[in-house]
């Protein structure tokens, strides 16, 4: 039996391709009566406040963003902008071609799978529509937990829901939000996904100095867990 019992993944930039804000976000700014550059600047600098969920629901959070940007749209405009932003974030999100095959292959090997994501309100709303949804045993969202990576609460919440110890889990991420160090400090083994497309990825608080294991593709996770299983099997027979 492999020593890893579960593989936990970051979402944006790991299970998905590189993310950048697309043209659909222009409509959100227009609905709010805000210049796009101003809205983008506020969104960037308030990411972690928004991703903790502590500002309230999606409408309350966007209303707070508007105040930061110096605009005061009507309630109707805010509601329309929430729907517009949901569509825009969804439009920015494209699963990696190997995301579904890798998750399916891990489950076929008897491993549990999970997601730990720093995110705002949109991802929990549209994740059930994605092809990876039925292949995830656990989903942990910062906006629901009230903490962002590298806070150990996120990692330990995933372990608790799986009924596993951190040492049983492999964590895979692109390195945003110091997530790899966070996973290690929580007791997991962490590996970085360094796919070429991530050079243009929208990322906050990137882990630039990671010196641990690095993978070039998501599919390489399978070789990693297979090698781990081989070592565990040899160890078992030797005992």
């Amino acid at each position: 039996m492999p020593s890893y019992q579960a593989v936990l993944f970051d979402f944006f930039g790991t299970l998905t391709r590189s993310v950048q804000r697309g043209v659909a976000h222009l409509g959100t700014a227009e609905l709010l009566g805000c210049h796009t550059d101003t809205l983008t600047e506020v969104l960037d600098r308030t990411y972690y406040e928004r991703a903790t969920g502590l500002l309230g629901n999606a409408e309350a959070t966007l209303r707070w963003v508007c105040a930061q940007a110096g605009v005061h749209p009507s309630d109707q405009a805010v509601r329309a902008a929430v729907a517009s932003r949901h569509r825009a974030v969804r439009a920015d999100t494209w699963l990696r071609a190997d995301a579904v095959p890798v998750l399916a292959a891990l489950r076929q090997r008897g491993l549990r799978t999970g997601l730990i994501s720093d995110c705002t309100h949109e991802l929990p709303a549209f994740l059930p529509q994605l092809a990876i949804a039925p292949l995830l045993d656990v989903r942990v969202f910062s906006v629901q937990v009230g903490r962002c990576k590298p806070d150990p609460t996120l990692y330990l919440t995933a372990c608790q829901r799986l009924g596993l110890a951190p040492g049983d889990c492999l964590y895979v991420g692109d390195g945003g939000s110091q997530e790899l160090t966070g996973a290690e400090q929580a007791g997991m083994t962490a590996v970085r996904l360094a796919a070429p497309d991530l050079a243009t990825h929208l990322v906050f608080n990137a882990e630039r100095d990671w010196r641990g294991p690095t993978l070039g593709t998501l599919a390489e996770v399978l070789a990693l867990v297979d090698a781990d299983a081989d070592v565990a099997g040899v160890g078992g027979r030797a005992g």
Side-chain angles (χ1 to χ4, degrees):
M1 177 176 290
S3 59
Y4 296 133
Q5 302 299 306
V7 183
L8 303 172
F9 295 87
D10 171 49
F11 183 71
F12 294 108
T14 302
L15 291 175
T16 79
R17 286 151 40 186
S18 170
V19 174
Q20 287 291 328
R21 292 194 184 99
V23 296
H25 290 272
L26 296 174
T28 304
E30 290 175 0
L31 286 166
L32 296 173
C34 182
H35 192 281
T36 304
D37 290 345
T38 301
L39 180 60
T40 298
E41 185 275 328
V42 173
L43 290 175
D44 285 350
R45 69 176 166 81
T46 66
Y47 177 72
Y48 288 108
E49 289 93 333
R50 296 182 294 108
T52 58
L54 300 181
L55 299 170
N57 63 17
E59 286 188 22
T61 299
L62 195 54
R63 216 171 268 115
W64 180 84
V65 166
C66 288
Q68 300 296 308
V71 295
H72 303 281
S74 67
D75 289 346
Q76 181 179 0
V78 170
R79 287 192 293 271
V82 166
S84 172
R85 178 167 162 76
H86 176 103
R87 292 190 298 270
V89 175
R90 176 67 184 89
D92 295 339
T93 304
W94 294 88
L95 293 176
R96 293 193 180 277
D98 48 0
V100 168
V102 166
L103 289 171
L106 289 171
R107 289 165 67 93
Q108 288 168 359
R109 285 163 168 77
L111 278 77
R112 312 283 293 283
T113 61
L115 175 73
I116 302 176
S117 179
D118 277 357
C119 62
T120 48
H121 292 282
E122 296 78 23
L123 179 58
F126 70 70
L127 181 70
Q129 304 162 18
L130 302 182
I132 62 170
L135 299 172
L136 296 169
D137 294 299
V138 64
R139 310 166 189 179
V140 178
F141 302 111
S142 66
V143 73
Q144 295 177 348
V145 175
R147 298 287 190 277
C148 286
K149 303 169 191 174
D151 192 300
T153 302
L154 291 163
Y155 308 95
L156 298 179
T157 296
C159 292
Q160 182 181 33
R161 293 178 184 177
L162 289 170
L164 296 173
D168 296 327
C169 301
L170 174 68
Y171 181 83
V172 184
D174 64 276
S177 300
Q178 304 290 308
E179 63 184 346
L180 304 174
T181 296
E184 283 196 333
Q185 290 177 343
M188 297 178 179
T189 299
V191 296
R192 180 181 182 181
L193 178 67
D197 66 294
L198 292 174
T200 60
H201 182 51
L202 175 64
V203 63
F204 299 97
N205 194 21
E207 196 147 20
R208 306 292 184 191
D209 298 326
W210 176 251
R211 295 291 181 265
T214 298
L215 306 177
T217 69
L218 203 56
E220 291 175 32
V221 172
L222 299 178
L224 189 62
V225 299
D226 286 345
D228 176 75
D230 289 343
V231 170
V234 169
R237 286 191 293 273

